[in-house]
Amino acid sequence: MKKIIYLISAIPALGSLVVINRVEPYVLGMPFVLFWAILWVCLTSVFLIIANKLDPVTEEEED
């Protein structure tokens, strides 16, 4: 289970390492570079919430 939690926690770091150097395709009115950065900030929160829910130590503390 720990390996899955570590993998889920590492996905945002790996995804944000992808360098996008494009301005032209606009997404939601933002240049693609800005959209990519904001997207990974939001996805990092989602992945860390999932990792927290899967962590058995967290379940023990809630009881």
Side-chain angles (χ1 to χ4, degrees), residues 12-29:
L14 297 174
S16 62
L17 287 177
V18 176
V19 177
I20 303 294
N21 194 11
R22 295 205 154 189
V23 175
E24 193 50 42
Y26 286 93
V27 180
L28 301 174

